[in-house]
Amino acid sequence: MKRGKFMEPIPTDLIIEIFSRLPAKSVAGFRTLSKHWASTLRSPGFTELFLTRSSNRPRLLLAAERNGEWLFFSSPQPQNRYEKSSHLDYHTKFSGDVSRYICSYASGLLYFPDLWLSKDASPVICNPITGRYESLPDLMRYRNSRGFLGFDPIGKQFKVLSEAYPFCDQREHHEILTLGTGELSWRSNIISCPAYNRSLSEGICINGVFYYLAQTVGVSSCVIICFDVRSEEFKFIDAECFNDQLDDTSELILVNYEGKLGGINWKYGQAGERRTVELCMWVLEDVEKQEWVKYVYSLPENEVLDSCDFSVAGVTTRGDIVLCMKYTCKLFYVFYFDPERNTLQSVEIQGFGANLEAVGNRGRVYAFVNHVEDLSVDDAKQLKSSISQVKHLCSCCNKVSQPNYHY
């Protein structure tokens, strides 16, 4: 009798369990093997199981930008408070200059208001894990306008909100575009959003509502603009607590704090010869009453954090405030501050590669917390192009060339 002749087939339940633990990119590949696999791996049951698994192991998404090149990595967020190091997984690379307002993140996708992929700049939505993207139609807007990406978790739909002329009642305040609905086109929104002077921050999408900080017209004061992604309705929330940030909002970040809108800023102090770091966090405890609560934290002493440039990346689902070093280097750290325990966990992140770790080639790092893969968001249908197929013009000879995507 030949060995293995009567091997029992692997139970379907076990196969589904195995596939639910794979990266979304691998699942997408297996879907193409046969109609049976496509049907199994696209079923609502498997999609829900995969999302649950992915939500239980959120990742830190890191984008390293250097001279117009964007390299995307991810790393597991710590599952316990004793982890000291983590290794990066490299995903893909985009080559293209961007505007002064970098990008907007929502549910695994990134929106660049202006990205030069080849000859011309255009708004671009991309999946930094798979390298798929979609160039959006250009639109008229004033030069200081921003663009934001929002996600409706019920309808599983992405929408782009772009400022047009928010300060003028006689012109379009905003343009809105819905992804994945056939022909892409911008729709004007004139009257539903009250006029404001300018936006002051990058935004954040929480449970289908997009928030960003803005400055009012006339008497300068801070307000939060709320955009419901599904209904496309706007409203204002008073945010006078941020009025002292009007002159410089570069270090202020809006965060999802346990499902509530929050804002975090920080400042340096001095304790003897040591530099200290103080975090200020405002949390919108009651949306209807527009009540904010302020928390102030002095971070525990940490030799690396006290001497490096860092930015706030966000707040994890377990409530840790994440601080990330601003530039790639050989010893690169991400810090997780637990406000309840007043503890600071340092995690060394390895794997940027020799080029980015070299002193003369440092890249600016942008971090996004709680990155979760959702198979119900089918980027193969919504994002029609692949970065691997982009042709670039050589700056020396002006001839088409394929870029080298090894880092």
Side-chain angles (χ1 to χ4, degrees), residues 3 12 28-30 64 111 114 127 165 192 194 199 203 205 224 228 257 261 285 294 298 303 311 332 344-345 397 402:
R3 184 178 180 181
T12 302
F30 282 108
Y111 171 66
D114 289 292
N127 185 325
Y165 301 92
S192 66
S199 55
C205 193
I224 294 290
D228 188 297
Y257 183 73
L261 175 66
E285 291 289 350
K294 183 179 180 180
S298 295
E303 183 178 351
S311 60
F332 183 89
L344 187 66
Q345 179 180 5
C397 61
Q402 290 287 355

Side-chain angles (χ1 to χ4, degrees), residues 284-349:
L284 183 61
E285 291 289 350
D286 192 312
V287 176
E288 297 304 320
K289 295 181 180 180
Q290 303 191 13
E291 291 181 352
W292 296 83
V293 176
K294 183 179 180 180
Y295 303 88
V296 179
Y297 307 104
S298 295
L299 298 190
E301 182 176 355
N302 183 285
E303 183 178 351
V304 178
L305 181 65
D306 294 347
S307 61
C308 73
D309 290 330
F310 68 88
S311 60
V312 174
V315 180
T316 67
T317 52
R318 72 180 187 185
D320 291 345
I321 300 173
V322 183
L323 312 176
C324 179
M325 293 177 66
K326 279 189 176 181
Y327 300 97
T328 58
C329 56
K330 189 170 181 61
L331 295 177
F332 183 89
Y333 286 89
V334 174
F335 308 91
Y336 296 83
F337 173 65
D338 182 345
E340 293 187 0
R341 294 183 172 87
N342 193 38
T343 58
L344 187 66
Q345 179 180 5
S346 303
V347 179
E348 182 183 351
I349 305 295

Side-chain angles (χ1 to χ4, degrees), residues 121-302:
S122 64
V124 170
I125 295 178
C126 73
N127 185 325
I129 305 298
T130 64
R132 301 198 67 84
Y133 73 96
E134 186 69 31
S135 294
L136 308 183
D138 204 359
L139 71 163
M140 296 294 294
R141 60 194 189 276
Y142 84 109
R143 66 183 184 87
N144 290 327
S145 67
R146 297 176 188 255
F148 309 103
L149 179 65
F151 179 69
D152 169 22
I154 298 176
K156 301 292 184 180
Q157 199 166 57
F158 289 91
K159 291 183 181 179
V160 180
L161 175 69
S162 181
E163 294 176 315
Y165 301 92
F167 50 82
C168 180
D169 283 329
Q170 306 304 315
R171 306 184 71 171
E172 291 84 355
H173 283 183
H174 294 82
E175 300 276 350
I176 301 171
L177 181 144
T178 303
L179 189 65
T181 56
E183 184 177 353
L184 298 173
S185 61
W186 295 97
R187 294 176 282 109
S188 298
N189 186 301
I190 301 175
I191 61 173
S192 66
C193 181
Y196 60 88
N197 186 30
R198 64 190 180 99
S199 55
L200 299 173
S201 73
E202 302 302 331
I204 187 168
C205 193
I206 304 174
N207 298 325
V209 178
F210 198 90
Y211 304 89
Y212 61 95
L213 190 67
Q215 181 181 1
T216 56
V217 177
V219 179
S220 293
S221 182
C222 286
V223 293
I224 294 290
I225 310 296
C226 307
F227 173 69
D228 188 297
V229 178
R230 196 171 201 195
S231 67
E232 300 184 3
E233 295 178 348
F234 288 87
K235 72 175 181 179
F236 279 8
I237 292 179
D238 177 76
E240 290 185 1
C241 57
F242 298 121
N243 279 354
D244 58 352
Q245 309 292 322
L246 275 171
D247 293 333
D248 182 15
T249 59
S250 60
E251 303 297 354
L252 175 67
I253 179 173
L254 299 183
V255 299
N256 180 348
Y257 183 73
E258 299 179 347
K260 301 176 182 178
L261 175 66
I264 298 178
N265 200 356
W266 68 93
K267 62 181 180 179
Y268 297 119
Q270 202 71 28
E273 298 182 355
R274 184 177 74 88
R275 186 182 77 172
T276 60
V277 179
E278 182 181 88
L279 289 180
C280 296
M281 180 169 68
W282 297 262
V283 178
L284 183 61
E285 291 289 350
D286 192 312
V287 176
E288 297 304 320
K289 295 181 180 180
Q290 303 191 13
E291 291 181 352
W292 296 83
V293 176
K294 183 179 180 180
Y295 303 88
V296 179
Y297 307 104
S298 295
L299 298 190
E301 182 176 355
N302 183 285

Side-chain angles (χ1 to χ4, degrees), residues 64-81:
E65 185 273 332
R66 181 189 60 198
N67 298 328
E69 294 182 341
W70 291 77
L71 295 95
F72 294 99
F73 307 82
S74 69
S75 176
Q77 291 175 187
Q79 297 299 303
N80 62 68
R81 304 191 183 278

